[in-house]
Amino acid sequence: MKKVGVYAKKNHPDAEQLALMICERFKRENIEVLLEDSLAEQVGQIVGFAEEDIPAQVDLVIVLGGDGTLISVARQVGERNVPILGVNLGRLGFLTEVTRDELPAMLDLLIEGNFNVSDRMMLDALIHRNGEVVGKYTVLNDVVINKGALARIIDMETSVDGRHLSSFKADGLIVSTPTGSTGYSLAAGGPIVFPEINCLVVSPICPHMLTNRPIVVWRNSVIEIKVNFEDDVVFFTADGQVGRKLLPGDVVEVRRSEARTRLVNSPSKDYFEILRTKLSWGER
C-alpha cells in the first residue's frame, strides 16, 4: 500500500483520536494518509480531500463510524474496487466489524497484507418516467419504495425478467442485496441471506394480502416495479440515505450492478458470530 483514505462519522468524539493513531502508524511505514475534509479539519490538518476524490487515489479505505457511514462511503467508492475496512463507532455494526480496541492490531495486518476481503454485491436502480431515465442510483443495502405518513396503500405492479410476479398492494416494497438482508428487509419479514450468495430479495412492507411473502430471485434478474397511486406522496430511497419522490406511472428498475463493495473482514470474527452477537441469538 502507498496511500490510504480515511472517512469518519461527522463530529464523532472518538474519530479524532483514532484518525491520529492511523496517521501515525502509517507514517512510520511511509504510507500516505488522505483524510476527508471534515475529518482533516477536526484533527487540525491543513490539507483535506473531498469525499468523492479520495477513492481514485488510494489502495485502501478506512471508515470510522457505523454501518450507515460505511454504506455512504461504499457508494463513493463505486466501481473503484478499493477494499474498505469498517471500524465500529456505532451500536449495531453488521458491516463495521472491527472495534476500537482491535484497530491497532488490524493496522499491523493491513501493513503486512495479511487480511481477507468479502466481496459484496451491489444494485443499480433506475427510475423511468415517460420513457426517460430520471434517476440512477448504485446501492449496497437496498432500494425502497414507500408511502408518506398519511398516504394510502400503493399498488406496485412487479415483474422479474419481463414476467409478471405480483401486483403488490402494500405500504411499500424493498429490493435488497444479501448484505442488506439484515436491514430494513429483515424488519419487514425478509430472510437473512449469507452475504456472499449473489441474489436479490424482494420484500413487501405491510402487504394488504397475508399471502404476499418475500421472495429470493437469481442474481442476474431484472426487477421492474410500476407504481400506481393517486393524490398521495410516494418515495424512492436508496440505502435509506438518498432518494426522491415518485410520480404515478413511474417504473423503478433494479438489477445487479457492475460495482462491488470489498469489505475487509475482522480476523477474530466470522459472519455467524456477528449474527449471534448482534441479534442476541441464544439469549432468553
Side-chain angles (χ1 to χ4, degrees), residues 218-229:
W218 189 45
R219 65 180 182 273
N220 287 336
S221 296
V222 177
I223 298 171
E224 291 187 334
I225 307 156
K226 183 178 180 180
V227 293
N228 299 302
F229 58 95

Side-chain angles (χ1 to χ4, degrees), residues 148-186:
L150 301 178
R152 290 168 289 185
I153 286 173
I154 316 166
D155 187 343
M156 294 162 289
E157 187 177 329
T158 305
S159 65
V160 178
D161 297 329
R163 295 171 290 182
H164 180 65
L165 171 62
S166 178
S167 292
F168 291 105
K169 292 177 173 57
D171 284 359
L173 196 66
I174 305 165
V175 182
S176 79
T177 63
T179 299
S181 71
T182 51
Y184 195 2
S185 176
L186 180 63

Side-chain angles (χ1 to χ4, degrees), residues 187-203:
I192 295 174
V193 182
F194 191 75
E196 294 179 10
I197 296 175
N198 291 326
C199 63
L200 291 82
V201 181
V202 182
S203 303

Side-chain angles (χ1 to χ4, degrees), residues 1 3-8 14-35 39 43 45 60-65 85-87 89 98-100 103-104 106-108 110-111:
M1 289 188 300
K3 293 184 180 182
V4 173
V6 182
Y7 297 77
D14 293 340
E16 179 178 346
Q17 178 186 357
L18 294 178
L20 289 172
M21 176 206 300
I22 291 168
C23 290
E24 291 170 3
R25 182 66 185 91
F26 283 128
K27 184 178 180 180
R28 296 202 297 268
E29 305 296 330
N30 295 316
I31 298 172
E32 184 179 354
V33 178
L34 281 61
L35 303 181
L39 182 58
V43 302
Q45 284 197 12
L60 174 81
V61 165
I62 299 176
V63 178
L64 308 173
L85 171 68
V87 181
L89 304 186
V98 175
T99 67
R100 301 170 181 83
L103 181 56
M106 192 69 222
L107 295 179
D108 292 339
L110 292 174
I111 291 166

Side-chain angles (χ1 to χ4, degrees), residues 1-283:
M1 289 188 300
K2 295 182 179 179
K3 293 184 180 182
V4 173
V6 182
Y7 297 77
K9 183 176 182 179
K10 300 292 187 293
N11 301 316
H12 194 285
D14 293 340
E16 179 178 346
Q17 178 186 357
L18 294 178
L20 289 172
M21 176 206 300
I22 291 168
C23 290
E24 291 170 3
R25 182 66 185 91
F26 283 128
K27 184 178 180 180
R28 296 202 297 268
E29 305 296 330
N30 295 316
I31 298 172
E32 184 179 354
V33 178
L34 281 61
L35 303 181
E36 52 92 2
D37 282 327
S38 61
L39 182 58
E41 181 179 355
Q42 187 176 346
V43 302
Q45 284 197 12
I46 298 174
V47 179
F49 296 82
E51 293 182 1
E52 63 273 16
D53 293 340
I54 291 177
Q57 304 180 60
V58 299
D59 307 300
L60 174 81
V61 165
I62 299 176
V63 178
L64 308 173
D67 285 357
T69 309
L70 189 146
I71 289 168
S72 175
V73 172
R75 292 199 306 274
Q76 297 281 0
V77 172
E79 297 181 1
R80 296 290 181 181
N81 209 32
V82 178
I84 302 172
L85 171 68
V87 181
N88 185 18
L89 304 186
R91 289 169 294 177
L92 199 56
F94 274 102
L95 303 178
T96 48
E97 296 182 5
V98 175
T99 67
R100 301 170 181 83
D101 293 339
E102 293 170 338
L103 181 56
M106 192 69 222
L107 295 179
D108 292 339
L109 293 177
L110 292 174
I111 291 166
E112 296 166 5
N114 184 20
F115 60 91
N116 294 319
V117 173
S118 175
D119 198 36
R120 303 295 183 93
M121 173 181 172
M122 300 184 78
L123 300 176
D124 285 335
L126 290 80
I127 301 174
H128 299 269
R129 180 174 297 160
N130 299 324
E132 297 183 2
V133 175
V134 296
K136 182 177 180 181
Y137 304 82
T138 299
V139 302
L140 173 60
N141 254 19
D142 52 37
V143 167
V144 178
I145 297 169
N146 60 359
K147 66 176 189 176
L150 301 178
R152 290 168 289 185
I153 286 173
I154 316 166
D155 187 343
M156 294 162 289
E157 187 177 329
T158 305
S159 65
V160 178
D161 297 329
R163 295 171 290 182
H164 180 65
L165 171 62
S166 178
S167 292
F168 291 105
K169 292 177 173 57
D171 284 359
L173 196 66
I174 305 165
V175 182
S176 79
T177 63
T179 299
S181 71
T182 51
Y184 195 2
S185 176
L186 180 63
I192 295 174
V193 182
F194 191 75
E196 294 179 10
I197 296 175
N198 291 326
C199 63
L200 291 82
V201 181
V202 182
S203 303
I205 304 169
C206 298
H208 186 62
M209 299 295 292
L210 294 177
T211 52
N212 282 151
R213 289 291 181 265
I215 183 171
V216 178
V217 299
W218 189 45
R219 65 180 182 273
N220 287 336
S221 296
V222 177
I223 298 171
E224 291 187 334
I225 307 156
K226 183 178 180 180
V227 293
N228 299 302
F229 58 95
E230 295 181 4
D231 302 324
D232 288 324
V233 179
V234 175
F235 296 97
F236 165 95
T237 56
D239 281 338
Q241 296 178 340
V242 295
R244 62 190 301 160
K245 288 184 180 179
L246 295 176
L247 299 181
D250 282 355
V251 176
V252 178
E253 175 189 335
V254 186
R255 63 174 70 216
R256 182 175 66 159
S257 177
E258 293 297 321
R260 310 282 293 184
T261 293
R262 304 180 66 223
L263 297 180
V264 177
N265 296 136
S266 167
S268 62
K269 304 181 185 73
D270 63 39
Y271 181 69
F272 300 115
E273 179 186 349
I274 293 169
L275 282 183
R276 291 194 304 271
T277 302
K278 304 304 179 181
L279 299 180
S280 300
W281 283 357
E283 297 182 12

